[in-house]
């Protein structure tokens, strides 16, 4: 009989699995370090490649929109430089997209291991999100250093660690929920990848919110990263604290995803391993 057939009720809720992750935090740290090393194994550039990929992607967007199409921002933009505006929005978005896309495939990839070990499934998406954090935290820190060098150091920059932590939590909740859905329906992987590729156009990265027609402006809030990106732009480009409505939107997304994920965990139960 498979080991995880003896799971107890403690594995059937989100709070219980989060507590299990904390109990096994040393294991999570080891799994995360192995994941980071696995991403660069066999590459000539090694760890440099982890940072070269997102930087090259940002450069490609800059070339297309700022150089080729010469796009312009609205008058109320926090900066008149599209390049600066794009970089500040793109780096957090790429970090979020990378974490979610890897987390949502984590359970399918770990199917054999979960069938033989009574581990909390949440460990596997948590590992992917933590590995992405290792990659992208230095890039976020780099943005903060550039902002401090250009505009002078401000205590407002101290909001960035909290923003990054909220972003990681969003990625974990969404990635884990998608991972459970992908275990039940493999089509979800392709659909989610497609939606993530469109996400950059459904967030205030290439344009400001005011550039969207009023009747369609609400659509921007369907992207959980939109309020986070607005918060990054406010902190890094204006040196001000994010607006209360931005924090409220982030809180609403966190609460909604947590409730949805908790229900998914409860409904999937022992069936999750059978789906894998």
């Amino acid at each position: 009989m498979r080991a995880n057939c003896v799971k107890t009720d403690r594995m059937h809720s989100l709070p219980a699995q989060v507590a299990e992750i904390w109990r096994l935090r040393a294991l999570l740290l080891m799994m995360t370090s192995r994941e980071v090393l696995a991403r660069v194994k066999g590459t000539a550039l090694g760890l440099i490649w982890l940072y070269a990929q997102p930087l090259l992607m940002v450069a490609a967007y800059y070339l297309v929109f700022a150089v080729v199409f010469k796009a312009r921002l609205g008058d109320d933009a926090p900066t008149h430089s599209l390049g600066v505006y794009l970089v500040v929005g793109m780096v957090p978005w790429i970090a979020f997209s990378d974490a979610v896309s890897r987390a949502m495939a984590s359970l399918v990839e770990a199917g054999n291991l979960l069938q033989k070990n009574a581990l909390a499934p949440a460990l596997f998406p948590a590992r992917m999100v933590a590995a992405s954090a290792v990659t992208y935290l230095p890039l976020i820190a780099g943005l903060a250093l550039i902002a401090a060098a250009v505009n002078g150091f401000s205590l407002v920059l101290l909001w960035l660690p909290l923003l990054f932590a909220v972003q990681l939590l969003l990625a974990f909740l969404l990635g884990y929920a998608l991972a459970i859905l992908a275990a039940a329906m493999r089509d979800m992987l392709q659909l989610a990848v497609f939606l993530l590729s469109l996400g950059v156009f459904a967030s205030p990265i290439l344009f400001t919110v005011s550039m969207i027609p009023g009747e369609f402006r609400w659509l921007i809030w369907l992207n959980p990263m939109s309020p986070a990106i607005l918060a990054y732009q406010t902190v890094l480009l204006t040196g001000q604290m994010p607006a209360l409505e931005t924090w409220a939107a982030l809180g609403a997304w966190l609460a909604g995803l947590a409730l949805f994920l908790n229900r998914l965990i409860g409904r999937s139960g022992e069936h999750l391993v059978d789906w894998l």
Side-chain angles (χ1 to χ4, degrees), residues 16-192:
Q17 291 204 20
V18 170
E20 186 74 358
I21 291 176
W22 176 251
R23 188 179 71 83
L24 299 176
R25 56 191 180 277
L27 175 61
L28 176 61
L29 180 61
M30 181 187 68
M31 293 170 64
T32 299
S33 62
R34 289 184 176 180
E35 174 64 24
V36 172
L37 293 175
R39 294 184 185 185
V40 297
K41 184 178 180 181
T43 62
L45 295 178
L47 289 173
I48 296 176
W49 186 243
L50 289 178
Y51 306 105
Q53 285 180 307
L55 292 176
L56 288 173
M57 185 176 295
V58 171
Y61 273 94
Y62 175 80
L63 179 64
V64 171
F65 290 95
V67 177
V68 176
F69 291 106
K70 300 185 184 301
R72 294 291 182 267
L73 297 172
D75 293 335
D76 63 336
T79 176
H80 293 297
S81 171
L82 177 62
V84 173
Y85 185 83
L86 189 148
V87 169
V88 168
M90 279 295 296
V91 171
W93 169 255
I94 294 174
F96 175 77
S97 180
D98 178 79
V100 171
S101 60
R102 293 179 185 274
M104 70 183 183
S106 62
L107 294 184
V108 173
E109 294 173 353
N112 290 334
L113 186 58
L114 281 169
Q115 289 173 354
K116 298 175 182 177
N117 298 274
L119 294 171
L123 269 172
F124 297 92
R127 172 189 63 173
M128 295 302 184
V129 173
S132 290
V134 171
T135 301
Y136 290 96
L137 180 58
L139 297 182
I140 299 294
L143 291 179
L145 291 175
I146 293 173
V150 173
N151 303 320
F153 177 78
S154 170
L155 291 177
V156 173
L157 292 175
L158 297 179
W159 285 101
L160 289 178
L162 176 60
L163 271 176
F164 191 64
V166 169
Q167 174 183 323
L168 293 178
L169 185 53
L170 278 172
F172 168 73
L173 293 173
L174 180 59
Y176 189 11
L178 291 173
I180 295 175
L181 294 175
M185 300 175 292
R186 296 298 193 272
D187 297 19
M188 184 57 64
L189 290 172
Q190 286 72 30
L191 177 60

